[in-house]
Amino acid sequence: MTDEELRTEVRAWLAANWKNDLPARADQWTVGPEQRAWLAKVVEARWAVNRWPSEWCGRDLSDAQAKIIEREFAAVKAPGAGQDRTHLYAITALTFGTDVMKAALLKGMLTGEINMCLLYSEPGAGSDLAGIRTRATRDGEEFVVNGQKVWTSGAATADYGMLIARTDWDVPKHNGISFFFLSMKQPGVEVRPLRQVTDESHFNEVFITDARVSADFLLGGLNNGWRVLQTALAYERSVMGDGARGPRRAGDGAANDLVALAREAGKLDDPVLRQDLAKVLSYRRLNALNNARAKADLAQGTSSSIMSLGKLAMSRILHEEARLRTALLGAGSLLDGEAFPRADDANFLTLNAYFTSIGGGTDQIQRNIIGERVLSLPKEPEIDRTIPFRDVRAG
Amino acid sequence: MTDEELRTEVRAWLAANWKNDLPARADQWTVGPEQRAWLAKVVEARWAVNRWPSEWCGRDLSDAQAKIIEREFAAVKAPGAGQDRTHLYAITALTFGTDVMKAALLKGMLTGEINMCLLYSEPGAGSDLAGIRTRATRDGEEFVVNGQKVWTSGAATADYGMLIARTDWDVPKHNGISFFFLSMKQPGVEVRPLRQVTDESHFNEVFITDARVSADFLLGGLNNGWRVLQTALAYERSVMGDGARGPRRAGDGAANDLVALAREAGKLDDPVLRQDLAKVLSYRRLNALNNARAKADLAQGTSSSIMSLGKLAMSRILHEEARLRTALLGAGSLLDGEAFPRADDANFLTLNAYFTSIGGGTDQIQRNIIGERVLSLPKEPEIDRTIPFRDVRAG
Amino acid sequence: MSTFTAEDRAAMAESVRRLLADKGDEAALRRAMETPSGYDAALWAELVELGVAGLIIDPAYDGLGGGPVELELIMEEAGAALLAAPLFASGVMAAALISASGDEGAKERLLPGLARGRIATVALTGDAGTWTPDGVTVGAHSHGARAFLDGTASFVLHGAAADVLLVVARVDGGFGIFEVAKGTPGLEITTLPSFDRTLRLTKLDFHHVPATRLGIAGWDAVEAMLKIALVALAGEQAGGARRVLDMTVQYAKTRIQFGRAIGSFQAIKHMAADLLLEAENATSAARHAAQQLAGGGEADEAVYLAAFACADAYSKIAADAIQMHGGIAFTWAHPAHLYLRRARADAQLLGAPPYHRERYLQAMGA
Amino acid sequence: MSTFTAEDRAAMAESVRRLLADKGDEAALRRAMETPSGYDAALWAELVELGVAGLIIDPAYDGLGGGPVELELIMEEAGAALLAAPLFASGVMAAALISASGDEGAKERLLPGLARGRIATVALTGDAGTWTPDGVTVGAHSHGARAFLDGTASFVLHGAAADVLLVVARVDGGFGIFEVAKGTPGLEITTLPSFDRTLRLTKLDFHHVPATRLGIAGWDAVEAMLKIALVALAGEQAGGARRVLDMTVQYAKTRIQFGRAIGSFQAIKHMAADLLLEAENATSAARHAAQQLAGGGEADEAVYLAAFACADAYSKIAADAIQMHGGIAFTWAHPAHLYLRRARADAQLLGAPPYHRERYLQAMGA
């Protein structure tokens, strides 16, 4: 099929099927019935994952042709195409899953029938993700899973979770981990909302007690989970933009908003605060310029090294912006809540800035990554890298 | 002898001998003939090292009685008493030296006939002092020394240097070091002034080529040098106050001087610089308050943990003061030299602040020390601590 | 002058520390902060029993007669435990203001009650929250033999719980201190939502509220009160900073990642070392200010130094403590954020660091 | 508009890089900085040969016709090598000021010479060193048909070596640009000792010095020159920052202490990571400012951002580089301090960061 024929076909299909009348999604973790119905149509018509083999809902198209389709969908604001680039869970399933698993789950994931979550971090394995202690023990054709996961978004509504669990305790820590799709809808899985420092609850703790998962739902083979995880994390980085939130209300216009705040607070002519204002505004601007330059420099794809710098930069931006907002408000920052939205913004940001400086790798871990991967500085000696995990200190 | 008898005796002696007419010393490294003559009198009359045994110029006095003598000397501004507390080299010699060595050198050190220097650091052993590679090889009743030392003050005028050198390469690094008194006045010792970043030359490099030292001048026994060094360093810390220099001209009145500088520069009413001025002044004041509190808290002696904090604080004080001076001068800080003394002060301090933040243990090493010794945080794994020094990486 | 010996002081601090460890621990604090009053009346009664409420009140009025040095020390304990109680509002600000008023009748009438735990507070600044003459937005005027107040005061600590309100108001081109009893008609009290949930901030609206002026005291008395209150606040900050740092260092010794205690990594160890310097600075500054103020001489320089140095140190330590803990401190259940909230509040109450830095320079003639 | 292609630009930058690596290395720099002129005439001749002196001069006047983008790129190379030469004074400031003057006669008379390496410089600010209208302390007055200058200009780069001085002077309540030839009677040139020994700063005293005004150009032309000069300076800073960071990272990989490369310790590694962010910021800011200025639109915001962001980044990186090297960088023989001296100078030339931050805010209407 020529590019032109393809374009004609997808345009015709969209013209016939797309009404642009989907309601807004209730939250980011679930897909409503109208969305599901539409996605089912898209998957049925094989527009969802065009680069994939026809066996798995795809069309075996080249990247260039797939992009034609995605552009047509984007032109009319129709969702659902290009999931072979954006659907982290489905990509991981396709790459590493067994045929049994793919047959059972792939289509449902693409149509939004099956909701997913990530079961990676544990209370004892934060910065050191390879230190997980959730165990999966073979029992015939199944594995029995016990342990505790944390910082899980969307766990309450998820049907399956991408789980890393330890399957061998007698080898070094990276070598004894396996990667599963665990059903969340079974008695051994208990989800408890986690109250955050901001008094929100966007995350959950997940307690897993004798939960079961079929060996068919093991991805990438036994004890190969660390490699699967690295690939999944790389997908995740390339898919997700910078998810850092500013103040609850400020939205994107942060620069204008800060200047407006200074003006409202009667501090726009305070020479000391003006210097701070210029610094904070510059941090955000410089980060945007860095990102633009990185994008221009790179022919294709994204580089995790640039992402690492951007994340570190964003930590500083958010913490410094929180300090500036506080200083601009003065005693007004003592107040809080809906009745004092400016204070509430400053307060929220003061705490939520840690989401960026701690979450997804602390600033300290990011500096290691930048130092080692970008600047090629030598790694620290790792005392637990080569010893059996059973002998590694925990606490 | 009662305290009163002792007091009477020393007063009488001072009345009879002390004329308070010594000329000022030319520099801190050498003692002039008038000083030497006076010190010889003090040593002869056994007032120099009262706590020491009579065999070694002392009187076997208690600390309390020794202090009586020191107070009387201080009251008339006569130097020379209390060298058992202040003469780093003599104390080290008395504690660890052989009788042969003590007989040869002790008295001369106390009278200022024998000048000393420290041969510790090497180009390859800065933060990691135990990594020294200067070697001392046994040759009959002597050792033959080869290597290079650096950051040596007073090397040009010194008669002897306190030297650490490696005497065993087949044991872990701390276990193969020996401590010597090396004669500087021999052909194998070449002293070259080291031009510092400030364009001064207060330090030297010392090149040692087949220099010789008698086994009698080995302190504390073979391969026990690390322990001797630790004791000597502790003496040094307790003897030396904070030697950090401010600007070349500012002297002690740093607070007044900064305010005066701001006034001269017409910046005393600049609100932004006033904030910085208050911060810098507060750093110095807070450090003084910390030191005063530490002294009040401690019944006796000094604690190296407090010294460590003070040194780290002083680094910040000096670097921040340099930045403030630069900001106050603005473009005036581009200039330099005697004709522009304010600029020269700011420039000198900008560079000389590193003397404190690098010299005597970098800020980074100080933070390790504070973390480990004061806060009891665990040490890092040390990969070279237990292997033969021969196998340790160098560079 | 305080007649406390060093032993007296240490014993009192020890008693308060034990009481707070026993009945003012984190669980108790969290319970108290969810109540309308924001404090545990039973714990307050025990503190009163120890004499804390009357610590700086003259023995002639049933207080302990302590001075800034004793107060600072006790506030270190209160700060370490994040005490939620009317101690600062009543035992420090109100007690100091009444004492400084020079009105013997008011002292006799009010101070013994305060020493016994009756609650008073001080209304000083308006919505601008500056704690300066400029910031006062209540005015007093005479109507016959009586005075009446109009206007607004905000950021008033424990205004809803207080039996007695001491209101700083403009009068005749200067300032006066006025006593208003709880429930006086025309007085409207609104509790303000506070980011530090262990605080109770209120706004007072005065509509022709009858009030009694305390003698002829004016801004000098307010200034005297502010100095002792700043010293108390500095002590609270130094104590809080020390405690949250201790907690963090302890965690760094026991939390294992990569097979090692995280405190063995330089990233954490060096932060801890820097923070120790900040904590020592805060303690030195707070205690020095207390000594200078107790000495009766010119204490402005020391007080303002303590005000900004302690605020900056506590803010930095509490903020870095969360970072050093990592994810665990991003949860509501972990106490680190309670310290950050308090540090952030303390850095604004009675004026923010830049203002105190300005006054520090002025105090040294610069 | 520049007609350079991306390939032209890359090729030119590569030529300059090679030349500087070959004949402008540290040893050559140290030799040059000890000479009275402060630069190596042979190296300058080779740079002129490459077209660098006339990079931003219109081809009509024998220049290459490059714009801010090309200039910024070449200045990155010059900054990386700490080039000591009249490039900035003559090829940037003087060339830009003449070009902006609108005086066709002056352009024809002066620019071809500059492109061929003749040296000119700009005298703008007095002893205050502000590079603002306020800072100008030379005045011009007419005497018959001629103009005469009186007063003082300072911080003039390469004033002693320059054949032509372009002097900004007050005239008739505004400003004019005046040409003064080397050796004109009444002109006194004093070389000032400079902390950055690779710079040559001079002070010019004018005593009734005859001068030729360039057309009717006033402060607008000065402002236009300052913007392109700030972009050039930003490029120099970005280039210097990058190079000294590279040197430091390289050292951290090879310097062994405690049996490990010091760059394996978090203390050093994390400093390096933070500095990389600063270096990337500086490069982005300098290049963005160049693009905006080349685009011909409103570039103020981008230019002032680059001015303070690059100055701050370079100052921090050069300062931390010494700390990361340790003792070796405390010696005169090590190059790190040369970068610190240059960074410190660049942060003052044409105005210090706080001033640029102020203008940045003003440019965005705040």
Side-chain angles (χ1 to χ4, degrees):
Chain A
M1 198 182 281
T2 68
D3 291 1
E4 206 40 62
E5 287 165 355
L6 188 63
R7 193 174 289 114
T8 307
E9 183 187 337
V10 63
R11 274 189 193 170
W13 187 86
L14 282 166
N17 291 282
W18 174 239
K19 306 282 183 294
N20 202 4
D21 60 355
L22 291 186
R25 286 169 61 172
D27 66 56
Q28 63 182 121
W29 310 119
T30 46
V31 178
E34 298 85 353
Q35 273 91 0
R36 280 203 299 272
W38 167 252
L39 289 173
K41 259 191 190 175
V42 175
V43 171
E44 208 53 53
R46 296 185 175 268
W47 298 122
V49 287
N50 297 287
R51 295 168 190 80
W52 286 8
S54 53
E55 182 187 358
W56 300 115
C57 312
R59 287 178 177 242
D60 280 308
L61 290 187
S62 68
D63 186 62
Q65 288 203 320
K67 281 205 176 110
I68 291 172
I69 295 165
E70 290 168 34
R71 272 194 291 270
E72 294 302 322
F73 268 70
V76 297
K77 299 199 171 71
Q83 294 194 56
D84 45 4
R85 288 191 304 105
T86 61
H87 198 305
L88 160 68
Y89 304 100
I91 299 168
T92 306
L94 182 87
T95 312
F96 295 104
T98 63
D99 284 356
V100 172
M101 195 194 93
K102 286 188 278 195
L105 302 184
L106 255 190
K107 199 165 172 183
M109 289 195 277
L110 298 174
T111 62
E113 291 293 330
I114 296 177
N115 292 308
M116 297 289 305
C117 67
L118 300 175
L119 301 170
Y120 294 168
S121 296
E122 298 179 5
S127 292
D128 178 18
L129 198 51
I132 53 156
R133 289 176 176 268
T134 290
R135 65 173 66 224
T137 312
R138 187 101 193 190
D139 180 26
E141 287 309 296
E142 292 187 325
F143 287 83
V144 182
V145 184
N146 281 282
Q148 185 187 348
K149 296 288 177 178
V150 74
W151 303 117
T152 304
S153 312
T157 51
D159 300 291
Y160 286 86
M162 296 214 296
L163 168 80
I164 51 171
R166 191 161 302 280
T167 38
D168 189 342
W169 297 69
D170 296 313
V171 293
K173 63 180 185 176
H174 297 94
N175 304 345
I177 294 171
S178 298
F179 196 108
F180 299 93
F181 267 50
L182 177 77
S183 168
M184 298 291 286
K185 306 297 189 199
Q186 58 173 313
V189 176
E190 186 196 351
V191 175
R192 291 188 207 154
L194 185 63
R195 191 176 178 189
Q196 291 157 230
V197 71
T198 53
D199 209 359
E200 302 171 309
S201 293
H202 292 146
F203 298 99
N204 303 281
E205 293 179 287
V206 179
F207 296 86
I208 308 172
T209 310
D210 290 336
R212 303 188 80 89
V213 55
S214 156
D216 288 329
F217 285 51
L218 167 64
L219 279 78
L222 194 66
N223 294 330
N224 195 31
W226 188 251
R227 202 171 68 77
V228 180
L229 176 70
Q230 292 311 305
T231 311
L233 288 175
Y235 291 148
E236 193 176 349
R237 278 188 215 106
S238 70
V239 168
M240 290 160 72
D242 192 331
R245 292 161 73 196
R248 257 192 266 260
R249 287 167 193 77
D252 282 340
N256 293 337
D257 188 65
L258 279 175
V259 173
L261 172 60
R263 191 173 282 124
E264 274 176 46
K267 300 287 175 62
L268 196 53
D269 57 356
D270 179 317
V272 178
L273 289 171
R274 282 180 70 82
Q275 289 288 312
D276 293 338
L277 177 60
K279 283 182 200 169
V280 172
L281 292 175
S282 77
Y283 293 148
R284 203 175 266 281
R285 188 89 186 92
L286 290 168
N287 191 44
L289 293 176
N290 276 348
N291 288 339
R293 187 160 62 86
K295 277 193 191 134
D297 282 357
L298 294 165
Q300 184 94 11
T302 45
S303 146
S304 69
S305 68
I306 301 290
M307 298 293 291
S308 305
L309 265 186
K311 183 170 184 302
L312 190 61
M314 191 52 70
S315 287
R316 178 164 76 170
I317 290 166
L318 297 173
H319 282 289
E320 291 298 323
E321 186 177 322
R323 269 189 273 274
L324 174 61
R325 285 177 179 272
T326 302
L328 288 170
L329 291 170
S333 67
L334 291 166
L335 308 179
D336 204 39
E338 287 299 316
F340 301 97
R342 286 302 201 179
D344 192 54
D345 276 350
N347 299 337
F348 175 76
L349 186 57
T350 296
L351 293 172
N352 206 56
Y354 292 99
F355 178 77
T356 295
S357 65
I358 292 175
T362 62
D363 283 357
Q364 286 67 39
I365 293 289
Q366 289 304 118
R367 291 191 183 96
N368 273 353
I369 291 172
I370 295 165
E372 290 163 18
R373 297 196 200 157
V374 186
L375 295 172
S376 303
L377 288 166
K379 291 171 83 74
E380 283 202 281
E382 290 175 83
I383 60 176
D384 67 335
R385 204 179 172 86
T386 53
I387 59 176
F389 187 76
R390 199 176 286 289
D391 301 330
V392 170
R393 277 179 75 200
Chain B
M1 197 182 281
T2 69
D3 290 1
E4 206 40 61
E5 286 164 353
L6 188 63
R7 193 175 290 113
T8 306
E9 183 188 339
V10 64
R11 273 190 193 170
W13 188 87
L14 282 166
N17 292 282
W18 174 239
K19 306 283 181 298
N20 201 3
D21 60 356
L22 291 185
R25 286 169 60 171
D27 66 55
Q28 64 183 119
W29 311 118
T30 46
V31 179
E34 297 86 353
Q35 273 92 0
R36 280 203 299 273
W38 166 252
L39 289 174
K41 261 193 187 171
V42 175
V43 172
E44 208 54 53
R46 297 185 174 268
W47 298 122
V49 286
N50 298 289
R51 294 166 190 81
W52 286 7
S54 51
E55 182 188 0
W56 300 115
C57 312
R59 289 178 174 240
D60 281 308
L61 291 186
S62 68
D63 186 62
Q65 289 203 320
K67 282 208 175 107
I68 291 172
I69 295 166
E70 289 168 34
R71 271 195 291 269
E72 293 303 322
F73 268 69
V76 298
K77 300 201 171 71
Q83 294 194 57
D84 45 4
R85 288 192 301 105
T86 62
H87 199 305
L88 160 67
Y89 304 100
I91 299 169
T92 307
L94 181 88
T95 312
F96 294 104
T98 63
D99 283 358
V100 172
M101 194 194 93
K102 285 189 278 195
L105 302 185
L106 255 190
K107 199 165 172 182
M109 288 195 278
L110 298 174
T111 62
E113 291 293 330
I114 296 176
N115 292 309
M116 298 289 304
C117 69
L118 299 175
L119 300 169
Y120 294 167
S121 295
E122 298 180 6
S127 291
D128 178 18
L129 198 52
I132 54 156
R133 288 176 176 267
T134 290
R135 65 173 68 223
T137 313
R138 187 101 193 191
D139 180 24
E141 287 309 297
E142 292 187 327
F143 287 82
V144 181
V145 185
N146 282 282
Q148 184 186 347
K149 295 290 178 176
V150 75
W151 303 118
T152 304
S153 312
T157 50
D159 300 291
Y160 285 86
M162 296 212 296
L163 168 80
I164 51 172
R166 189 160 305 279
T167 38
D168 190 342
W169 298 68
D170 295 314
V171 292
K173 64 180 185 176
H174 296 95
N175 303 344
I177 294 171
S178 296
F179 196 107
F180 299 94
F181 267 49
L182 177 77
S183 168
M184 299 292 285
K185 306 298 188 197
Q186 60 172 315
V189 177
E190 186 195 351
V191 175
R192 291 188 207 153
L194 184 65
R195 191 176 178 187
Q196 293 157 229
V197 72
T198 53
D199 210 359
E200 303 170 308
S201 293
H202 292 147
F203 297 100
N204 303 280
E205 293 180 287
V206 179
F207 296 84
I208 309 173
T209 312
D210 290 335
R212 303 189 80 87
V213 55
S214 157
D216 288 330
F217 285 52
L218 167 64
L219 281 78
L222 193 68
N223 295 330
N224 194 31
W226 188 252
R227 203 171 66 77
V228 180
L229 176 70
Q230 292 311 306
T231 310
L233 288 175
Y235 291 149
E236 193 176 347
R237 277 189 217 107
S238 71
V239 168
M240 292 160 71
D242 192 330
R245 291 160 74 197
R248 257 193 268 261
R249 287 168 193 77
D252 282 342
N256 294 336
D257 189 65
L258 279 175
V259 174
L261 173 60
R263 193 173 279 125
E264 274 175 46
K267 300 287 176 61
L268 196 52
D269 57 358
D270 179 317
V272 178
L273 289 171
R274 283 179 70 81
Q275 289 289 312
D276 292 339
L277 178 60
K279 282 181 199 169
V280 173
L281 292 176
S282 77
Y283 292 149
R284 204 176 265 281
R285 189 89 186 94
L286 292 167
N287 191 42
L289 293 177
N290 276 348
N291 287 339
R293 187 160 61 87
K295 278 194 189 130
D297 281 358
L298 293 163
Q300 182 94 12
T302 44
S303 146
S304 69
S305 68
I306 301 291
M307 299 292 291
S308 305
L309 266 187
K311 184 169 183 303
L312 191 62
M314 190 51 70
S315 288
R316 178 164 76 168
I317 290 166
L318 297 174
H319 281 290
E320 291 298 324
E321 186 178 323
R323 268 188 272 275
L324 174 61
R325 285 177 178 272
T326 303
L328 288 170
L329 291 169
S333 67
L334 290 166
L335 308 180
D336 204 37
E338 287 299 316
F340 301 96
R342 287 302 202 179
D344 193 53
D345 277 349
N347 298 337
F348 175 77
L349 185 58
T350 296
L351 293 172
N352 206 57
Y354 292 99
F355 177 77
T356 295
S357 65
I358 292 175
T362 62
D363 284 357
Q364 287 68 39
I365 293 289
Q366 289 304 118
R367 291 191 183 97
N368 273 352
I369 291 173
I370 294 165
E372 291 163 16
R373 298 197 199 156
V374 185
L375 295 174
S376 305
L377 288 166
K379 289 171 85 74
E380 283 202 282
E382 289 174 84
I383 60 177
D384 67 335
R385 203 178 173 89
T386 53
I387 59 176
F389 188 75
R390 200 176 285 289
D391 301 330
V392 170
R393 276 178 77 199
Chain C
M1 286 298 282
S2 155
T3 57
F4 276 70
T5 65
E7 289 70 29
D8 293 342
R9 277 196 285 270
M12 175 131 197
E14 176 62 22
S15 306
V16 172
R17 187 181 313 129
R18 279 200 200 151
L19 173 59
L20 295 179
D22 189 25
K23 301 188 177 163
D25 64 1
E26 188 192 337
L29 173 70
R30 286 178 183 266
R31 277 193 304 274
M33 80 184 191
E34 301 299 343
T35 64
S37 77
Y39 69 96
D40 174 351
L43 175 59
W44 177 239
E46 293 208 43
L47 284 163
V48 170
E49 198 61 40
L50 287 178
V52 168
L55 178 59
I56 61 166
I57 292 174
D58 196 287
Y61 310 108
D62 304 347
L64 293 185
V69 173
E70 291 74 36
L71 177 62
E72 190 280 335
L73 211 59
I74 295 306
M75 289 302 289
E76 285 188 28
E77 298 300 334
L82 289 177
L83 173 64
L87 174 58
F88 184 67
S90 191
V92 180
M93 291 182 75
L97 189 57
I98 298 166
S99 299
S101 72
D103 181 335
E104 285 305 322
K107 292 194 206 176
E108 282 176 29
R109 186 169 71 248
L110 298 172
L111 290 177
L114 263 57
R116 285 194 300 275
R118 192 178 175 219
I119 296 168
T121 191
V122 174
L124 206 172
T125 187
D127 287 331
T130 59
W131 288 271
T132 58
D134 280 359
V136 175
T137 54
V138 176
H141 54 101
S142 301
H143 200 77
R146 305 190 60 188
F148 293 89
L149 303 181
D150 276 286
T152 300
S154 194
F155 305 105
V156 179
L157 291 163
H158 288 291
D163 291 312
V164 180
L165 302 159
L166 297 156
V167 185
V168 179
R170 297 178 179 275
V171 58
D172 300 334
F175 295 90
I177 299 163
F178 296 83
E179 176 189 346
V180 175
K182 183 178 191 162
T184 305
L187 168 62
E188 194 186 327
I189 301 181
T190 315
T191 296
L192 301 170
S194 168
F195 178 62
D196 177 356
R197 300 199 191 177
T198 68
L199 288 188
R200 283 302 172 272
L201 294 173
T202 51
K203 181 168 181 166
L204 311 185
D205 287 296
F206 298 89
H207 308 282
H208 203 62
V209 176
T212 309
R213 182 164 181 182
L214 266 58
I216 55 162
W219 191 261
D220 283 355
V222 175
E223 193 72 39
M225 177 278 286
L226 283 174
K227 274 183 217 165
I228 197 162
L230 281 170
V231 167
L233 198 60
E236 165 164 321
Q237 292 168 319
R242 170 82 51 177
R243 180 68 59 86
V244 71
L245 176 58
D246 286 348
M247 276 173 39
T248 306
V249 168
Q250 197 49 41
Y251 183 72
K253 289 178 190 171
T254 51
R255 168 72 171 176
I256 309 288
Q257 292 284 276
F258 305 103
R260 296 161 53 180
I262 60 170
S264 72
F265 288 100
Q266 288 184 334
I268 297 297
K269 185 179 290 175
H270 290 194
M271 282 175 94
D274 285 335
L275 296 185
L276 178 64
L277 177 57
E278 299 293 331
E280 294 291 354
N281 283 349
T283 303
S284 291
R287 293 186 185 173
H288 174 66
Q291 282 154 11
Q292 291 299 105
L293 198 59
E298 180 50 64
D300 284 19
E301 190 182 318
V303 169
Y304 295 119
L305 172 64
F308 72 80
C310 294
D312 288 340
Y314 194 12
S315 298
K316 177 166 179 52
I317 293 172
D320 282 1
I322 294 184
Q323 184 66 30
M324 291 166 76
H325 275 87
I328 186 77
F330 196 70
T331 65
W332 185 266
H334 193 276
H337 71 102
L338 301 178
Y339 283 88
L340 180 62
R341 288 168 192 263
R342 178 67 68 87
R344 206 154 156 282
D346 284 353
Q348 296 295 340
L349 287 171
L350 313 188
Y355 168 71
H356 296 306
R357 275 193 283 274
E358 214 8 273
R359 296 211 59 175
Y360 172 63
L361 285 188
Q362 288 164 14
M364 58 172 71
Chain D
M1 286 297 282
S2 156
T3 57
F4 277 69
T5 65
E7 289 71 29
D8 294 342
R9 276 197 286 269
M12 175 133 196
E14 175 64 21
S15 306
V16 172
R17 188 181 312 131
R18 279 199 201 154
L19 174 59
L20 294 178
D22 190 24
K23 301 188 177 164
D25 64 2
E26 186 191 340
L29 173 70
R30 285 179 182 266
R31 279 192 304 275
M33 80 183 191
E34 299 299 340
T35 64
S37 77
Y39 69 95
D40 174 352
L43 176 60
W44 177 237
E46 293 208 46
L47 284 162
V48 170
E49 198 61 39
L50 288 178
V52 168
L55 177 59
I56 61 166
I57 292 174
D58 195 285
Y61 310 108
D62 303 349
L64 294 186
V69 173
E70 292 74 35
L71 178 62
E72 190 280 336
L73 210 59
I74 296 305
M75 290 301 291
E76 286 189 27
E77 299 299 334
L82 289 177
L83 174 65
L87 174 58
F88 185 68
S90 192
V92 180
M93 290 181 76
L97 189 57
I98 297 165
S99 299
S101 72
D103 180 335
E104 285 306 319
K107 292 195 206 174
E108 282 176 29
R109 188 168 70 247
L110 298 172
L111 290 177
L114 263 58
R116 285 194 301 274
R118 193 179 174 217
I119 295 167
T121 192
V122 173
L124 205 172
T125 187
D127 288 331
T130 58
W131 288 271
T132 59
D134 280 358
V136 176
T137 54
V138 177
H141 53 103
S142 301
H143 201 78
R146 305 189 61 188
F148 294 89
L149 303 181
D150 277 283
T152 300
S154 194
F155 305 105
V156 179
L157 292 162
H158 288 292
D163 292 312
V164 180
L165 301 158
L166 297 157
V167 185
V168 178
R170 297 178 179 275
V171 58
D172 300 334
F175 296 89
I177 300 163
F178 296 84
E179 175 189 346
V180 176
K182 182 179 193 162
T184 303
L187 169 61
E188 195 186 325
I189 302 182
T190 315
T191 297
L192 301 170
S194 167
F195 178 62
D196 177 356
R197 299 198 192 180
T198 68
L199 288 189
R200 283 302 172 274
L201 294 173
T202 51
K203 181 168 182 167
L204 310 185
D205 287 296
F206 298 88
H207 308 282
H208 203 63
V209 176
T212 308
R213 182 163 180 185
L214 266 57
I216 54 160
W219 191 261
D220 283 356
V222 175
E223 194 71 38
M225 177 278 287
L226 283 174
K227 272 183 218 165
I228 195 161
L230 281 171
V231 167
L233 199 60
E236 165 164 322
Q237 292 169 319
R242 170 81 53 176
R243 181 68 59 86
V244 71
L245 176 58
D246 285 349
M247 278 173 37
T248 306
V249 168
Q250 197 50 41
Y251 184 73
K253 289 177 190 172
T254 51
R255 168 73 172 176
I256 310 287
Q257 293 282 277
F258 306 103
R260 295 161 52 178
I262 61 170
S264 71
F265 288 100
Q266 288 183 334
I268 298 295
K269 185 178 292 175
H270 290 193
M271 282 175 95
D274 284 336
L275 296 185
L276 178 66
L277 177 57
E278 298 294 330
E280 295 291 355
N281 282 349
T283 303
S284 292
R287 293 186 184 174
H288 175 67
Q291 283 153 9
Q292 292 299 106
L293 198 59
E298 181 50 65
D300 285 19
E301 189 181 318
V303 169
Y304 295 119
L305 172 64
F308 72 80
C310 294
D312 288 339
Y314 195 11
S315 299
K316 175 163 181 56
I317 293 172
D320 282 0
I322 295 185
Q323 185 66 29
M324 290 165 76
H325 275 88
I328 186 77
F330 196 69
T331 66
W332 185 266
H334 193 276
H337 71 102
L338 301 178
Y339 284 88
L340 180 61
R341 288 169 192 262
R342 178 67 68 87
R344 207 154 156 281
D346 284 353
Q348 295 296 338
L349 287 171
L350 312 188
Y355 168 71
H356 296 305
R357 274 193 284 274
E358 216 4 276
R359 296 211 59 175
Y360 172 63
L361 285 188
Q362 288 164 15
M364 59 172 69

